[in-house]
């Protein structure tokens, strides 16, 4: 394992520095408290057999929850609707940042736009996962959900933390949707862009977009 440090507290710049330091075909952006299930690495590689896929989301759960707010945080990620995004829209509007996998070439191409994002004249510091997903879609790639790639992490444990997280998520949600509709690129993905589904279960399956795994699995850096 190689550890890189940064001179300033800037998450987006730190992420860019990380993916610029690796040579693997795939890059996993992972929060520090995340635990992967056995086989998760193989599961997240499978969709990349389809060259149109630029990013993959994982199935994320609360790690040892002991409060109602942690259960609520997991529930409000709305994972029941994600298979529908993959099947109907061939796109997800946010690969949640706890664990998301991207093609390194995609990250390299969008790096400047990612680090220097601004909205209404102000530089954006939060919502990095939403921004990376947006840039991947704008580049013409698909973003999909892989239900068999399971990970666990901590969720907000108090009501105040939970509501703060929901507020940040809502701001990021509307910033990206408004940008997508105004600039026009979102109309290529009308299902996930124009509609915010209710949180709940979905009966849609979760295919691996490439069908079977490729003869040679792409390498992945964490």
């Amino acid at each position: 394992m190689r550890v890189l440090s940064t001179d300033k507290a800037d998450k987006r710049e730190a992420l860019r520095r990380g993916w610029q330091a690796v040579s693997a075909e795939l890059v996993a952006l992972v929060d520090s408290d995340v635990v992967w299930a056995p086989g998760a690495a193989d599961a997240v590689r499978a969709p990349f057999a389809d060259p149109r896929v630029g990013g993959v989301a994982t199935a994320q759960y609360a790690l040892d929850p002991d409060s109602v707010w942690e259960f609520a945080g997991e529930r409000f990620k709305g994972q029941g609707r994600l298979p529908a995004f993959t099947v109907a829209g061939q796109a997800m509007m946010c690969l949640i940042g706890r664990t998301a996998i991207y093609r390194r070439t995609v990250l390299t191409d969008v790096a400047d736009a990612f680090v220097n994002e601004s909205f209404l004249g102000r530089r954006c510091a939060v919502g990095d996962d939403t921004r990376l997903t947006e840039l991947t879609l704008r580049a013409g790639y698909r973003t999909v959900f892989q239900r068999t790639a399971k990970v666990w992490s901590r969720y907000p444990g108090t009501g105040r933390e939970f509501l703060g997280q929901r507020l940040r998520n809502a701001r990021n949600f509307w910033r990206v949707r408004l940008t997508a509709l105004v600039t026009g690129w979102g109309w290529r993905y009308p299902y996930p862009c124009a509609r915010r589904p209710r949180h709940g279960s979905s009966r849609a399956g979760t295919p691996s977009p490439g069908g079977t795994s490729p003869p040679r699995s792409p390498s992945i850096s964490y």
Side-chain angles (χ1 to χ4, degrees):
M1 178 182 294
R2 180 185 175 191
V3 178
L4 301 177
S5 61
T6 59
D7 297 329
K8 59 181 179 178
D10 187 327
K11 181 180 178 181
R12 296 195 182 202
E13 187 60 50
L15 287 172
R16 174 166 67 172
R17 184 174 181 185
W19 72 59
Q20 287 179 336
V22 303
S23 58
E25 298 172 70
L26 306 178
V27 177
L29 305 182
V30 186
D31 283 358
S32 60
D33 63 345
V34 172
V35 177
W36 285 28
D42 291 333
V44 295
R45 281 200 296 259
F48 290 101
D50 184 343
R52 295 171 295 181
V53 172
V56 174
T58 54
Q60 302 178 13
Y61 303 96
L63 178 65
D64 299 327
D66 56 12
S67 78
V68 66
W69 299 110
E70 290 177 278
F71 284 107
E74 177 185 298
R75 174 66 175 172
F76 271 80
K77 289 300 181 183
Q79 294 189 110
R81 71 183 188 239
L82 301 187
F85 282 171
T86 294
V87 174
Q90 293 298 318
M92 291 175 52
M93 295 302 286
C94 181
L95 304 182
I96 299 173
R98 284 181 170 85
T99 293
I101 319 300
Y102 292 90
R103 294 188 186 276
R104 182 175 56 84
T105 53
V106 173
L107 295 176
T108 300
D109 290 343
V110 306
D112 289 340
F114 169 66
V115 172
N116 299 312
E117 179 192 12
S118 63
F119 185 72
L120 299 180
R122 299 184 63 180
R123 184 176 183 270
C124 299
V126 299
D128 48 277
D129 51 359
T130 307
R131 177 61 169 172
L132 274 180
T133 309
E134 173 200 355
L135 292 171
T136 302
L137 292 171
R138 292 181 70 166
Y141 289 92
R142 294 177 178 176
T143 54
V144 301
F145 173 61
Q146 185 71 326
R147 185 171 52 192
T148 56
K150 299 179 181 181
V151 304
W152 288 263
S153 66
R154 303 298 301 183
Y155 279 72
T158 67
R160 182 174 182 177
E161 292 173 343
F162 171 78
L163 293 175
Q165 182 188 68
R166 297 306 304 160
L167 178 60
R168 291 192 300 273
N169 290 347
R171 286 200 301 259
N172 296 333
F173 174 93
W174 288 112
R175 185 179 75 239
V176 171
R177 268 58 171 192
L178 289 173
T179 301
L181 294 174
V182 170
T183 59
W185 71 265
W187 298 108
R188 287 181 287 167
Y189 308 96
Y191 179 78
C193 180
R195 180 172 181 267
R196 188 178 189 182
R198 296 172 60 188
H199 296 282
S201 62
S202 169
R203 294 183 181 180
T206 309
S208 174
T212 58
S213 298
R216 180 182 63 82
S217 296
S219 57
I220 183 170
S221 289
Y222 307 91

